[in-house]
Amino acid sequence: MTDSPLDRDTRILRFIEHVHPYDSLDRETQKRIAGVFQEKVATAGSPIFGAGDQLDGLFLIEHGTVEITDENDAPVSILHGRNSFGERGLIRDGKALTNARAAEETRLLLLPAAAFHELITEAPSFARFFDRGRSPARERGAELATQRVGDLMARNPITVDPTTPIRTAAGLMRDTRVSCLAVTEAEDRLVGIVTLRDMATKAVAEGLAGDTPVREIMTADPASLPPSALGSDLLNIMLERKVGHVTVTEGARVVGILTQTDLTRFQAISSASMVHEIAEAASAEDMAKVTARLPKLLAQLVGGGNRHEVVTRLITDIADAVTRRLLALAEADLGAPPVEYLWLACGSQGRQEQTGVSDQDNCLIIDDNARSGDAAYFEKLAKFVSDGLDTCGYFYCPGDMMATNPRWRQPVAVWRRYFRGWIAKPDPEAQMLASVMFDLRPIGGATRLFADLKEETLAEARKNSIFVSHMIANSLKHTPPLGLFRGFATVRSGEHKNEIDLKMNGVVPVVDLGRVYALQAGLSEVNTRARLEAAEANGTISRSGAHDLLDAYDLIAETRLNRQADEIRAGQKPDNFMPPSDLSDLERSHLRDAFVVVRTMQSAVGQGKGILS
């Protein structure tokens, strides 16, 4: 017996009013959309659509499981009730970008294409949900398929003993907000898994007493993978066994658990989607919720095998987006600026080399037409933006190198005097300030205010041999951590005793060399790797020297990022320190060789050669 039209619409309405983004629509729109939905049933194994097919509309799973694969039939994701699919093809050109197949008998609701596009146009919350600047599904799937399970899993899973009463286990799941528990015996040896579904279908449905041990309802010998398995293995095992939870084991010991929620979170994290969310944020607090995902993004990018310059560029893109959004919010709050201005970043953000540990380094250049009364506006603007950056996790610069400091919030003419003064009289403070300011990069505002100033400064600095010599001497203050007898020179005391500082004694010496090469050759590049490549291209350093230094820099920078990613996965706050004992003999040997290359290049610069033979 089928539903009457009224009963059918009521049933669909009750379903969608608890599914996002339909729950964000007003009541009348919900009722109208409930009547538009078409119902379909897909039998197990049957195709729903194929890549390149014209899509009839947006699919919403009411009940069942759908397997999504890319155009090469590689697994992308496994979807269950309340999940939608097909939106990217509809938004793009109306043709499917992936394949969709019912993994079991599945009830679907189809929102016709016309109704979908109407909601995209009329309902901002609906449009934001389905058009968030994400990568195409096939690209997300490729990323997921090639990730190591060890980089995806939730570590330190919550475990219970087989004798634990189901009432206690249920309370633990409620209090810790998890959907499953690993059941273990001595030494974390995995014997089973118990899920919310087990609680519902085996305990509650069967009327079991609360003191029944979990061994009576657990799934013994659960689906399991080693940390070295790939995301494609995970998707395959979830599909083949029709499970939503997979344990991760090393031998018999459980070390993690992966759920459908973990996969959804993984696919939702991308620099592009984060930038899009930031661009629409209404406050610094809203942006802070996005930047809180930065550690996860870094670990994901590193785990995906991305090169260090790609990882740091994408991480820096987030800081740039936050800064630009804060500038826009500041102008909305304070009113239009009285004259043009330019906000610039220096330090690691200026070089596009931010990692998981970043403060803020910035300054403000104001048009020379500014009047004395305009200073108050830019003071408020600087405070608004710097406070917002701090809220988002970019803590205040310990050296006060920020636009909130009046010294670093000045008209173009004053900045011109600054640079000329540093070049003409290169005392220690001038060397330090010039080192910071040579890494300036415009973020938001009138870029013309800096263009001529940058060219003039580079030309004047390059011509002043005394200034260049002082900059070279300043660059040699940070040395690689090389000890005697092929060992490492580690931190001697304090919290990081016997550890290597991979920033100050690893990356920074190369950053300093890149800045010197740029100064010697008048290069406009700001990014360190770009500076090294440009220095090779124009003959500032030899081809062999450049290649050795680039290889050394890559190894040091990637060692630092891998260390930070490991700390993030272990639930720790990332830093720049690492005990040499954490490396294998081969890794220690290669890292030491990299430090030797850097020291040799420093020696060449110090001798006025600038090349490595």
Side-chain angles (χ1 to χ4, degrees), residues 106-172:
T106 302
R107 291 178 59 87
L108 298 165
L109 296 176
L110 175 68
L111 181 66
F116 171 80
H117 289 296
E118 180 182 335
L119 284 176
I120 287 288
T121 302
E122 297 179 355
S125 61
F126 192 87
R128 281 195 298 271
F129 183 82
F130 287 113
D131 188 15
R132 317 187 268 261
R134 298 173 297 175
S135 301
R138 60 177 179 274
E139 294 177 7
R140 298 200 311 273
E143 289 181 1
L144 176 59
T146 56
Q147 287 282 318
R148 290 193 319 124
V149 163
D151 295 331
L152 296 169
M153 71 183 185
R155 295 175 183 268
N156 303 315
I158 299 172
T159 64
V160 293
D161 183 88
T163 61
T164 302
I166 57 176
R167 180 186 296 109
T168 302
L172 182 60

Side-chain angles (χ1 to χ4, degrees), residues 393-469:
Y394 304 99
F395 52 88
Y396 299 117
C397 174
D400 203 19
M401 186 68 69
M402 298 184 298
T404 49
N405 183 338
R407 189 180 185 185
W408 311 127
R409 188 178 68 246
Q410 294 292 336
V412 177
V414 175
W415 280 101
R416 184 169 281 110
R417 288 200 299 271
Y418 283 167
F419 280 106
R420 287 177 176 172
W422 296 333
I423 294 169
K425 188 180 179 180
D427 57 27
E429 184 189 35
Q431 295 168 32
M432 183 275 291
L433 294 174
S435 294
V436 173
M437 295 302 173
F438 272 116
D439 293 347
L440 283 174
R441 182 172 60 87
I443 302 298
T447 56
R448 69 168 185 82
L449 298 176
F450 183 60
D452 292 342
L453 181 60
K454 180 177 182 180
E455 291 180 6
E456 291 173 15
T457 302
L458 280 173
E460 290 186 25
R462 185 184 183 191
K463 289 186 296 184
N464 190 318
S465 59
I466 296 176
F467 175 76
V468 173
S469 295

